[in-house]
């Protein structure tokens, strides 16, 4: 395989072009090979190996416990499946806040050990030194502002962020800081739609919204939520495109019944 043929079709540069053309960016999470293969083949632009893996894959209540090694395991599995989409990997909590050298080491591990395309980091001014250091090593960075779940113990709630003027003004400043540093895009999570619209119009880098309204340049959802695998999570911003929980429960129930009744396997299903 030539070097050129290994470059996936969606690049960070292509996302900028999409914003310039007014073409919306579709992003979903994936954490494993089989799901990433389906999501990529369906034509998604960006796959996020989110630290939401802590919740939907590992069953933790928050994203705080997931480790760099766990993220690398998920990201490797996803990268092996993906041919077209840009693959972005979350730097997990504790691997980039506070010390930009540690941040760079974490990002380099992700890039070298997973062959993903970029990393994502939560926060603005507080982490800008780490963002700059990672970018200076040639690693593309996606920002993440608004509700930043890694700070849940500071916020104490997953409610809408930046409703007050002071927090909204800080978010706008942070978005500009991230753009000036060289981030290629920024997730805006659970903020008022009008604020997301303002940030989106002021920035040249694309914004990707989750619970941030329709004016963002793109949208992201957690794939288990939008497929209805995960039924216990129903925020207003979530649109469910399938009810896989019911489909899977029904399939497993029928399998159990067939086994118990001696109906599976039948003669055609044996050697
Ligand atoms: O980890 C994640 O899934 C995310 C998205 C919700 C943006 O950060």
């Amino acid at each position: 395989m030539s070097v050129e043929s290994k470059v996936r079709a969606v690049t960070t540069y292509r996302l900028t072009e999409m914003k310039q053309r007014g073409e919306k960016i579709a992003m979903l999470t994936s954490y494993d090979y089989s799901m990433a293969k389906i999501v990529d083949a369906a034509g998604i632009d960006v796959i996020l190996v989110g630290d939401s893996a802590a919740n939907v894959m590992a069953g933790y209540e928050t994203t705080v416990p997931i480790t760099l090694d766990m993220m690398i395991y998920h990201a490797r599995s996803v990268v092996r499946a993906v041919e077209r989409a840009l693959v972005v990997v979350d730097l997990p909590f504790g691997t980039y806040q506070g010390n930009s050298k540690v941040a760079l080491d974490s990002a380099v591990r992700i890039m070298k050990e997973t062959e993903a395309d970029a990393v994502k980091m939560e926060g603005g001014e507080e982490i800008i030194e780490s963002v700059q250091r990672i970018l200076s090593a040639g690693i593309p960075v996606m920002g993440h502002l608004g509700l930043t779940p890694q700070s849940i113990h500071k916020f104490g709630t997953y409610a809408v962020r930046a409703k007050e003027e002071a927090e909204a003004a800080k978010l706008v400043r942070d978005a500009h800081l991230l753009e000036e540093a060289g981030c290629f895009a920024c997730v805006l999570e659970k903020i008022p739609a009008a604020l997301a619209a303002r940030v989106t119009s002021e920035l040249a880098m694309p914004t990707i919204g989750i619970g941030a309204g329709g004016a963002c340049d793109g949208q992201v959802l957690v794939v288990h939520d939008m497929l209805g695998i995960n039924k216990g999570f129903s925020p207003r911003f979530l649109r469910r495109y399938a009810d896989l929980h019911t489909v899977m429960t029904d399939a497993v129930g029928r399998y159990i019944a067939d086994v118990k009744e001696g109906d599976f396997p039948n003669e055609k299903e044996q050697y």
Side-chain angles (χ1 to χ4, degrees):
M1 188 186 270
S2 74
V3 171
E4 231 169 307
S5 65
K6 269 182 147 175
V7 175
R8 282 184 273 276
V10 183
T11 59
T12 56
Y13 179 68
R14 172 141 165 73
L15 298 185
T16 311
E17 286 181 330
M18 287 171 78
K19 173 162 183 149
Q20 286 163 357
R21 284 203 297 267
E23 187 185 336
K24 295 277 188 182
I25 298 163
M27 171 162 140
L28 279 175
T29 64
S30 293
Y31 319 98
D32 68 282
Y33 178 86
S34 303
M35 184 73 84
K37 211 157 181 68
I38 294 169
V39 170
D40 185 53
I44 203 79
D45 298 309
V46 184
I47 291 184
L48 172 67
V49 184
D51 60 358
S52 48
N55 312 118
V56 294
M57 301 303 287
Y60 289 116
E61 249 181 56
T62 75
T63 57
V64 171
I66 200 161
T67 64
L68 190 55
D69 285 335
M70 289 163 84
M71 290 303 297
I72 286 171
Y73 165 78
H74 287 297
R76 266 191 193 147
S77 313
V78 167
V79 168
R80 279 196 286 269
V82 173
E83 289 176 15
R84 179 184 176 276
L86 185 86
V87 180
V88 181
V89 183
D90 262 333
L91 279 179
F93 174 71
T95 66
Y96 62 95
Q97 298 94 340
N99 182 329
S100 63
K101 171 71 173 71
V102 172
L104 178 59
D105 290 346
S106 309
V108 166
R109 274 200 67 197
I110 289 197
M111 299 303 282
K112 279 182 105 73
E113 295 179 37
T114 74
E115 297 185 71
D117 302 303
V119 297
K120 177 164 82 58
M121 301 163 71
E122 295 183 6
E125 194 184 357
E126 318 72 29
I127 59 152
I128 202 68
E129 197 187 311
S130 295
V131 170
Q132 285 163 338
R133 195 150 179 179
I134 291 171
L135 282 163
S136 72
I139 299 172
V141 176
M142 176 180 274
H144 184 152
L145 298 172
L147 177 64
T148 47
Q150 290 178 13
S151 307
I152 183 58
H153 294 304
K154 179 173 147 198
F155 295 149
T157 163
Y158 288 105
V160 178
R161 304 301 312 176
K163 278 161 80 176
E164 308 303 329
E165 185 47 42
E167 196 182 339
K170 175 172 165 21
L171 189 143
V172 174
R173 277 199 311 278
D174 282 344
H176 281 280
L177 265 182
L178 292 173
E179 170 158 285
E180 281 154 25
C183 289
F184 69 92
C186 187
V187 167
L188 299 176
E189 180 164 354
K190 229 172 168 188
I191 61 171
L195 177 61
R198 175 179 164 199
V199 172
T200 300
S201 72
E202 286 185 15
L203 297 179
M205 75 174 168
T207 60
I208 314 286
I210 173 164
C216 294
D217 299 303
Q219 297 294 326
V220 58
L221 286 175
V222 169
V223 74
H224 288 66
D225 297 338
M226 60 83 75
L227 290 177
I229 294 174
N230 197 10
K231 280 215 154 165
F233 181 65
S234 300
R236 187 206 293 205
F237 67 76
L238 175 62
R239 188 180 293 179
R240 283 195 211 287
Y241 288 85
D243 182 3
L244 291 196
H245 188 278
T246 303
V247 171
M248 291 168 79
T249 306
D250 177 58
V252 173
R254 285 189 291 115
Y255 167 74
I256 294 169
D258 286 354
V259 171
K260 302 268 180 201
E261 286 159 20
D263 183 57
F264 175 79
N266 63 25
E267 272 176 23
K268 288 189 200 145
E269 290 161 334
Q270 62 193 19
Y271 301 97

